[in-house]
DNA sequence: GACGGATTAGGACGTATGTCCTAAAGAGTG
DNA sequence: CACTCTTTAGGACATACGTCCTAATCCGTC
């Protein structure tokens, strides 16, 4: 019933379209066209559009966990790991300039729709937040760790929003350097 | 034809609803219900929904200009003026936690819709950006002025996005203090 | 009070959408 | 080949939406 090839394709296309066009603005016809199936076929795999959204959020949660796992495999150094997160802004620069941050724009849209999946979408933020907090704790930031994690999240969200508005590559590059510099200083302070 | 009482009410209600529910997700029926007029009456004042959006953006531009003028009347001190901008986060805290930043969420939505009014909506950002840059220039930040202005914009945008996601009052308050502290340090650096 | 332009109400129209239903096609098993 | 369960196609259905049209109402002026 679930977890077939078509199921995965629907989720993948919906994921992409929700990111590029927004959830509300993406129709079944859009997804069907991209997957190459008929419109009526959705209801064999999903009971409603909201259920597709839930599956997309699940997929994003899984992707995020995998991404974090890859960063953990990349380096043991907490500061280096935090830099991995910051580097998303560069690695996905063109997509971010075109469509913003996938997490931030989705949570914003769901907040306006008063959608039930809001909490689930926030879970993606929380995945990053908790992991970043852990890295700051390992750096000795103690009680400040969560605040630092939130600062990194907020900073990157702001950069994504303005990058999307102005499509300015240099701005993104400069801010990434600035965040990295702030991080270095913060690590020094915490270690002291 | 234009600029009547009904016209103003439509723009005011649309402005409010676009903020709370999003542009795409707000229908003529919604606006009509809030203003108390019939649905078909819109087309006497506006040729299309996009024209309402344009009027809303015009109104927001005017409001922003008025807000900036009020700040300029409030104090001559550039640092104090920048603090006025930062203080929006506190003055409109509950709305921001409920619906995000009106500017950031609108530009994000229009970007996803590939809407023609995207540029006009960015103009609101630019109003703040140019004015903030001017204040930094007067503080002696020189070539760094625009970067500092963008940083203040980005920071506040990020705080708004996360405030909307987590609805955490303390987080907003802490970040405002942090930005203010950063500003003080930056002013010191520039003056030196 | 009568006229005329400004404004409004109400509904028609075509389209798009989410949802649902049913018949057909596909795939695997005996 | 026959049977069954899974999967798909295609369209029906009600609803909501943006747009447009027309008749009615308001209101200031003569």
């Amino acid at each position: 019933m679930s977890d077939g090839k078509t199921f995965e394709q629907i989720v993948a296309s919906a994921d992409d379209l929700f990111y590029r066009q927004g959830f509300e603005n993406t129709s079944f016809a859009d997804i069907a066209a991209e997957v190459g199936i008929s419109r009526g076929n959705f209801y064999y795999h999903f009971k409603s559009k909201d259920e597709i959204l839930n599956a997309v959020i699940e997929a994003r949660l899984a992707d995020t966990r995998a991404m974090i796992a890859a960063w953990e495999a990349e380096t043991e150094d907490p500061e280096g790991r935090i830099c991995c997160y910051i580097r998303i802004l560069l690695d996905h620069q063109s997509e971010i300039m075109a469509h913003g941050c996938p997490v931030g724009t989705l949570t914003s849209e769901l907040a306006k729709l008063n959608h039930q999946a809001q909490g689930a979408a926030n879970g993606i933020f929380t995945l990053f937040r908790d992991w970043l907090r852990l890295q700051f704790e390992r750096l000795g930031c103690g009680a400040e760790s969560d605040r630092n994690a939130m600062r990194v999240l907020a900073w990157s969200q702001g950069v994504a929003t303005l990058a999307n508005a102005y499509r300015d590559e240099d701005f993104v590059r400069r801010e990434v350097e600035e965040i990295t510099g702030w991080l270095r200083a913060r690590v020094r302070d915490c270690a002291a």
Side-chain angles (χ1 to χ4, degrees), chain A:
Chain A
M1 169 183 164
S2 66
D3 202 46
K5 195 181 165 192
T6 307
F7 181 92
E8 301 292 348
Q9 283 180 333
I10 291 175
V11 173
S13 290
D15 190 347
D16 193 44
L17 286 167
F18 290 173
Y19 176 41
R20 286 175 9 225
Q21 314 183 351
F23 167 69
E24 180 87 358
N25 192 44
T26 297
S27 70
F28 280 80
D30 293 332
I31 307 173
E34 191 150 309
V35 179
I37 61 172
S38 87
R39 222 169 48 260
N41 189 11
F42 282 99
Y43 284 77
Y44 176 74
H45 299 282
F46 303 94
K47 281 206 293 284
S48 71
K49 195 183 176 187
D50 288 351
E51 207 162 278
I52 298 185
L53 176 60
N54 287 332
V56 166
I57 292 175
E58 291 278 334
R60 292 195 186 181
L61 284 166
D63 289 350
T64 303
R65 275 187 268 262
M67 188 184 265
I68 287 176
W71 293 340
E72 292 190 341
E74 191 174 314
T75 174
E76 291 268 350
D77 174 41
E79 185 177 343
R81 287 182 173 182
I82 298 171
C83 283
C84 286
Y85 170 82
I86 298 168
R87 226 187 21 227
I88 307 181
L89 287 169
L90 295 177
D91 293 344
H92 296 137
Q93 186 166 21
S94 56
E95 300 96 303
I96 289 173
M97 289 198 298
H99 314 109
C101 167
V103 191
T105 53
L106 181 65
T107 55
S108 288
E109 182 178 2
L110 296 183
K112 296 219 191 266
L113 298 178
N114 243 323
H115 199 284
Q116 122 267 336
Q118 222 177 325
N122 281 351
I124 311 177
F125 266 143
T126 303
L127 238 43
F128 286 119
R129 176 183 183 172
D130 290 346
W131 184 77
L132 287 170
R133 176 178 48 73
L134 205 70
Q135 308 312 315
F136 279 111
E137 282 171 355
R138 289 182 50 215
L139 285 168
C141 294
E144 297 239 322
S145 298
D146 184 57
R147 291 177 210 174
N148 288 339
M150 285 291 277
R151 179 137 328 122
V152 171
L153 278 186
W155 203 337
S156 60
Q157 281 300 308
V159 171
T161 301
L162 287 187
N164 185 218
Y166 285 116
R167 326 241 157 162
D168 183 341
E169 286 192 34
D170 287 335
F171 164 70
V172 176
R173 213 173 1 244
R174 277 197 316 264
E175 287 300 305
V176 166
E177 282 173 23
E178 202 73 21
I179 303 176
T180 312
W182 169 86
L183 175 61
R184 228 184 339 257
R186 184 53 55 130
V187 169
R188 232 187 0 249
D189 290 356
C190 289

